[in-house]
Amino acid sequence: MDTPTHLDSTNTPSPFLLENLLFGWQQTLGNIKHSYATTADNFIDEFLLTISQAQINDALYQYVVRNVKMLHHLHLDLHEDYLRLTCTVDVMGIYATVASDFQLVQIQLNKHSQRLVLKQISPTDVLELHTRTWYQAPLARFAVGAYRALLRKDPLPFILSSIKIKGVPFTEHKGNVIYLEIGRWLTKIDKFADIIRRVQVNHGILKDEQLLLRLQPNFGEILSFGDPNDDIITDKDKPKIDEHTAS
């Protein structure tokens, strides 16, 4: 009987056969991995995670207040469908404590974007105001009143966007909507960065002293599949073929 074309005289598989088998095996596993990761991501519904008001304020102090010198205090009071933000700042000789009410428009936490979007729904209350010189306090109050009267807007979004942290505005705003990129602090935490690769936050719901986060698991990352389009078998996994065998 003739020797099959894919075997040499020593019955050793031809390198061409090994390459074909390897390519087919890689394609098959790649399709399985891609299908499983995609199906799992679409199949699993969102679930809710409850975070207390105390936990949020502890995190704000540890990761924001301690890292922003001009910010002395930052506190959230959570209520049904809205939150009250109180902060104390020390800017250009003006020491002020202000508070305002906001609606939570969006909270997005994933490996690509970490953003908090708030809509201001009440005028800013100036709870405390001290200045280094006698004329700064009345001047600051006059400026706030004039801003409201002339522009018919609350000055808080403008003030927050004027505060620069390493050359980057603390917030951005459009009208009474404030955009805060919180990733500049949180993504430096290895544990947080690891979590948002596996679970993404799509939305938040405000309750009394609680924040309910809508989370969706990323099973491709949880089960260490990573990118479903990546090769499963890499160069280091390929069989070593001796030169004399390949010839």
Side-chain angles (χ1 to χ4, degrees), residues 19 22-23 26 230-241:
E19 289 179 5
L22 179 62
F23 178 76
Q26 180 172 326
D230 282 348
D231 290 341
I232 288 183
I233 300 177
T234 62
D235 288 338
K236 67 179 181 180
D237 300 312
K238 294 181 179 180
K240 301 295 187 295
I241 301 175

mmCIF file of all heavy atoms in Angstrom, residues 19 22-23 26 230-241:
data_model
loop_
_atom_site.group_PDB
_atom_site.id
_atom_site.type_symbol
_atom_site.label_atom_id
_atom_site.label_comp_id
_atom_site.label_asym_id
_atom_site.label_seq_id
_atom_site.Cartn_x
_atom_site.Cartn_y
_atom_site.Cartn_z
ATOM 1 N N GLU A 19 0.398 22.144 10.997
ATOM 2 C CA GLU A 19 -0.064 23.517 10.864
ATOM 3 C C GLU A 19 -1.562 23.568 10.587
ATOM 4 O O GLU A 19 -2.283 24.395 11.128
ATOM 5 C CB GLU A 19 0.708 24.222 9.754
ATOM 6 C CG GLU A 19 2.163 24.516 10.114
ATOM 7 C CD GLU A 19 2.891 25.199 8.981
ATOM 8 O OE1 GLU A 19 2.223 25.513 7.976
ATOM 9 O OE2 GLU A 19 4.102 25.416 9.098
ATOM 10 N N LEU A 22 -3.436 22.618 13.759
ATOM 11 C CA LEU A 22 -3.334 23.709 14.722
ATOM 12 C C LEU A 22 -4.257 24.856 14.337
ATOM 13 O O LEU A 22 -4.960 25.407 15.173
ATOM 14 C CB LEU A 22 -1.890 24.204 14.796
ATOM 15 C CG LEU A 22 -1.627 25.381 15.750
ATOM 16 C CD1 LEU A 22 -1.952 24.979 17.172
ATOM 17 C CD2 LEU A 22 -0.186 25.836 15.633
ATOM 18 N N PHE A 23 -4.285 25.186 13.068
ATOM 19 C CA PHE A 23 -5.134 26.278 12.608
ATOM 20 C C PHE A 23 -6.610 25.952 12.843
ATOM 21 O O PHE A 23 -7.380 26.779 13.322
ATOM 22 C CB PHE A 23 -4.875 26.545 11.123
ATOM 23 C CG PHE A 23 -5.753 27.623 10.551
ATOM 24 C CD1 PHE A 23 -5.493 28.960 10.832
ATOM 25 C CD2 PHE A 23 -6.836 27.301 9.742
ATOM 26 C CE1 PHE A 23 -6.305 29.960 10.309
ATOM 27 C CE2 PHE A 23 -7.646 28.294 9.229
ATOM 28 C CZ PHE A 23 -7.383 29.620 9.492
ATOM 29 N N GLN A 26 -7.360 26.080 16.621
ATOM 30 C CA GLN A 26 -7.399 27.460 17.095
ATOM 31 C C GLN A 26 -8.707 28.130 16.662
ATOM 32 O O GLN A 26 -9.331 28.846 17.436
ATOM 33 C CB GLN A 26 -6.205 28.231 16.546
ATOM 34 C CG GLN A 26 -6.165 29.691 17.005
ATOM 35 C CD GLN A 26 -4.877 30.358 16.596
ATOM 36 O OE1 GLN A 26 -3.836 29.733 16.567
ATOM 37 N NE2 GLN A 26 -4.948 31.636 16.281
ATOM 38 N N ASP A 230 -9.158 37.426 20.828
ATOM 39 C CA ASP A 230 -7.746 37.075 20.969
ATOM 40 C C ASP A 230 -7.523 35.602 20.630
ATOM 41 O O ASP A 230 -8.407 34.767 20.802
ATOM 42 C CB ASP A 230 -7.263 37.327 22.397
ATOM 43 C CG ASP A 230 -6.997 38.801 22.641
ATOM 44 O OD1 ASP A 230 -6.961 39.564 21.657
ATOM 45 O OD2 ASP A 230 -6.848 39.173 23.814
ATOM 46 N N ASP A 231 -6.309 35.284 20.164
ATOM 47 C CA ASP A 231 -5.967 33.895 19.896
ATOM 48 C C ASP A 231 -5.854 33.110 21.194
ATOM 49 O O ASP A 231 -5.284 33.591 22.169
ATOM 50 C CB ASP A 231 -4.626 33.815 19.156
ATOM 51 C CG ASP A 231 -4.744 34.337 17.734
ATOM 52 O OD1 ASP A 231 -5.887 34.410 17.237
ATOM 53 O OD2 ASP A 231 -3.707 34.675 17.151
ATOM 54 N N ILE A 232 -6.421 31.923 21.219
ATOM 55 C CA ILE A 232 -6.277 31.054 22.386
ATOM 56 C C ILE A 232 -4.915 30.386 22.366
ATOM 57 O O ILE A 232 -4.220 30.310 23.365
ATOM 58 C CB ILE A 232 -7.390 29.987 22.405
ATOM 59 C CG1 ILE A 232 -8.705 30.649 22.761
ATOM 60 C CG2 ILE A 232 -7.072 28.886 23.403
ATOM 61 C CD1 ILE A 232 -9.846 29.677 22.864
ATOM 62 N N ILE A 233 -4.519 29.894 21.203
ATOM 63 C CA ILE A 233 -3.218 29.244 21.067
ATOM 64 C C ILE A 233 -2.259 30.240 20.442
ATOM 65 O O ILE A 233 -2.469 30.723 19.336
ATOM 66 C CB ILE A 233 -3.325 27.981 20.197
ATOM 67 C CG1 ILE A 233 -4.297 27.005 20.833
ATOM 68 C CG2 ILE A 233 -1.964 27.343 20.025
ATOM 69 C CD1 ILE A 233 -4.515 25.758 20.018
ATOM 70 N N THR A 234 -1.241 30.602 21.174
ATOM 71 C CA THR A 234 -0.261 31.581 20.709
ATOM 72 C C THR A 234 0.992 30.868 20.229
ATOM 73 O O THR A 234 1.077 29.633 20.258
ATOM 74 C CB THR A 234 0.082 32.554 21.849
ATOM 75 O OG1 THR A 234 0.659 31.812 22.924
ATOM 76 C CG2 THR A 234 -1.170 33.278 22.336
ATOM 77 N N ASP A 235 1.980 31.630 19.819
ATOM 78 C CA ASP A 235 3.218 31.044 19.297
ATOM 79 C C ASP A 235 3.900 30.133 20.315
ATOM 80 O O ASP A 235 4.486 29.110 19.956
ATOM 81 C CB ASP A 235 4.186 32.159 18.870
ATOM 82 C CG ASP A 235 3.728 32.867 17.611
ATOM 83 O OD1 ASP A 235 2.937 32.253 16.864
ATOM 84 O OD2 ASP A 235 4.139 34.015 17.397
ATOM 85 N N LYS A 236 3.822 30.523 21.593
ATOM 86 C CA LYS A 236 4.494 29.713 22.607
ATOM 87 C C LYS A 236 3.806 28.356 22.808
ATOM 88 O O LYS A 236 4.385 27.439 23.380
ATOM 89 C CB LYS A 236 4.559 30.461 23.926
ATOM 90 C CG LYS A 236 3.205 30.687 24.585
ATOM 91 C CD LYS A 236 3.375 31.427 25.902
ATOM 92 C CE LYS A 236 2.019 31.642 26.583
ATOM 93 N NZ LYS A 236 2.158 32.357 27.869
ATOM 94 N N ASP A 237 2.541 28.239 22.350
ATOM 95 C CA ASP A 237 1.819 26.972 22.505
ATOM 96 C C ASP A 237 2.037 26.026 21.324
ATOM 97 O O ASP A 237 1.681 24.850 21.394
ATOM 98 C CB ASP A 237 0.313 27.234 22.642
ATOM 99 C CG ASP A 237 -0.010 28.107 23.844
ATOM 100 O OD1 ASP A 237 0.514 27.807 24.926
ATOM 101 O OD2 ASP A 237 -0.765 29.074 23.689
ATOM 102 N N LYS A 238 2.598 26.546 20.235
ATOM 103 C CA LYS A 238 2.727 25.728 19.038
ATOM 104 C C LYS A 238 3.785 24.655 19.242
ATOM 105 O O LYS A 238 4.788 24.882 19.919
ATOM 106 C CB LYS A 238 3.092 26.613 17.844
ATOM 107 C CG LYS A 238 1.965 27.582 17.470
ATOM 108 C CD LYS A 238 2.354 28.433 16.277
ATOM 109 C CE LYS A 238 1.220 29.376 15.904
ATOM 110 N NZ LYS A 238 1.570 30.217 14.744
ATOM 111 N N PRO A 239 3.576 23.487 18.656
ATOM 112 C CA PRO A 239 4.540 22.394 18.835
ATOM 113 C C PRO A 239 5.864 22.714 18.174
ATOM 114 O O PRO A 239 5.932 23.397 17.157
ATOM 115 C CB PRO A 239 3.856 21.208 18.144
ATOM 116 C CG PRO A 239 2.920 21.839 17.165
ATOM 117 C CD PRO A 239 2.449 23.101 17.806
ATOM 118 N N LYS A 240 6.930 22.278 18.808
ATOM 119 C CA LYS A 240 8.269 22.490 18.269
ATOM 120 C C LYS A 240 8.578 21.374 17.271
ATOM 121 O O LYS A 240 8.458 20.198 17.576
ATOM 122 C CB LYS A 240 9.301 22.476 19.402
ATOM 123 C CG LYS A 240 9.054 23.542 20.470
ATOM 124 C CD LYS A 240 9.212 24.950 19.886
ATOM 125 C CE LYS A 240 9.133 26.001 20.983
ATOM 126 N NZ LYS A 240 7.809 26.038 21.623
ATOM 127 N N ILE A 241 8.955 21.761 16.062
ATOM 128 C CA ILE A 241 9.267 20.782 15.008
ATOM 129 C C ILE A 241 10.754 20.886 14.697
ATOM 130 O O ILE A 241 11.270 21.950 14.363
ATOM 131 C CB ILE A 241 8.449 21.077 13.746
ATOM 132 C CG1 ILE A 241 6.943 21.012 14.069
ATOM 133 C CG2 ILE A 241 8.793 20.099 12.633
ATOM 134 C CD1 ILE A 241 6.069 21.411 12.914
#
